Amino acid sequence: MKSKLIRAGIFTAIIGALLLAHYIYLGSKPLVNNAARKGAGFSSALLANGATAYQAANIAGDKTVVVLVGDMVLNSAVWENTFNELTKTGMAVLRYDLFGSGYSARPRGAYDAEFFANQLESLANKVLPGRNLILVGLGDGGAIAAAYAAKQAQRVKKLILIDSVGIEHKAPLRARLMAVPAIGRYFGRMFGGGVAKSVIADSFSTTPAPAVLARLEAPAATKGYADALRASYRHWQRSNNRQPFL
């Protein structure tokens, strides 16, 4: 009996060590840094929680600025055509990556609508101080834009929401596994990339341009993205997020 317990203990320890090693391996990916942001044509705004990657055009002066707010998975690359077309018209426009996504930093945090609304507020105060805004939010960005507008109504002249989370949103099974306490950290690193690819595939009726598709999928190969995506599923109940819209 004693030898069986010893063998069971050794087996459990080996399995635990292998899982820990795999967990560490899954997290050993390239870091997003200023060089990567600059190489991709992004500027960096150093905020309290880390650097935010953004691109802006025609923002000199005092014109109202269109701010394009993306999603944890559908990062600012999803706005490629929108950003370029608005720029051609001479409109002031800014797009940026949420914390944990794209070329922005991956800080620790709750990764919910309030967390991201604070990021948007800090970015607007630093890059667009005192400017009026037109907010366009897609997916997660819809709830973020609404949360920001609820706090800063005097600055928001228009609020445009596209397929916003917060109503009738159901996370896929892999995402729900990622939200499980403790072991969800392992599931996050294991499934994060797959969840991102499935969301991207389901979000387009036709395949995006290769450069845009690569830019959308790139975060899955960077350090901290899976942990950040997992934190968003852990702390942000997207299907019960109606408060910013009331």
Side-chain angles (χ1 to χ4, degrees), residues 19 22-29 72-73 100 172-197 219-234:
L19 288 174
H22 191 224
Y23 173 77
I24 294 172
Y25 166 75
L26 290 172
S28 59
K29 296 179 177 180
M72 276 292 288
V73 175
L173 175 60
R174 285 181 294 183
R176 296 198 296 273
L177 288 173
M178 290 164 64
V180 174
I183 191 63
R185 293 181 181 275
Y186 179 76
F187 289 137
R189 291 190 179 180
M190 177 173 283
F191 298 139
V195 169
K197 285 190 175 183
T222 58
K223 187 176 180 65
Y225 173 72
D227 291 344
L229 185 62
R230 184 259 174 185
S232 78
Y233 286 119
R234 178 84 177 90

Side-chain angles (χ1 to χ4, degrees), residues 2-105:
K2 186 176 180 180
S3 63
K4 288 183 178 180
L5 290 175
I6 292 174
R7 287 197 296 271
I10 293 173
F11 177 77
T12 301
I14 291 173
I15 295 299
L18 289 173
L19 288 174
L20 177 60
H22 191 224
Y23 173 77
I24 294 172
Y25 166 75
L26 290 172
S28 59
K29 296 179 177 180
L31 283 168
V32 171
N33 53 30
N34 284 332
R37 283 186 279 273
K38 188 174 181 180
F42 280 73
S43 299
S44 293
L46 186 58
L47 310 180
N49 282 324
T52 291
Y54 74 93
Q55 286 183 321
N58 307 324
I59 63 171
D62 59 359
K63 293 187 293 186
T64 296
V65 183
V66 178
V67 179
L68 305 171
V69 189
D71 186 268
M72 276 292 288
V73 175
L74 301 176
N75 57 54
S76 63
V78 77
W79 300 115
E80 184 74 12
N81 291 337
T82 306
F83 181 86
N84 290 338
E85 291 302 316
L86 289 174
T87 298
K88 289 177 185 177
T89 69
M91 294 186 69
V93 58
L94 179 146
R95 63 171 170 169
Y96 72 99
D97 287 327
L98 302 181
F99 280 137
S101 180
Y103 286 101
S104 287

Side-chain angles (χ1 to χ4, degrees), residues 129-198:
R131 302 286 287 278
N132 292 330
L133 309 175
I134 296 173
L135 298 183
V136 185
L138 169 69
D140 292 340
I144 295 165
Y148 174 86
K151 296 197 309 178
Q152 300 287 341
Q154 74 282 0
R155 292 189 67 179
V156 180
K157 299 309 175 184
K158 290 184 182 180
L159 180 61
I160 302 169
L161 308 180
I162 305 170
D163 195 23
S164 174
V165 302
I167 301 174
E168 302 301 327
H169 176 89
K170 185 176 181 180
L173 175 60
R174 285 181 294 183
R176 296 198 296 273
L177 288 173
M178 290 164 64
V180 174
I183 191 63
R185 293 181 181 275
Y186 179 76
F187 289 137
R189 291 190 179 180
M190 177 173 283
F191 298 139
V195 169
K197 285 190 175 183
S198 65

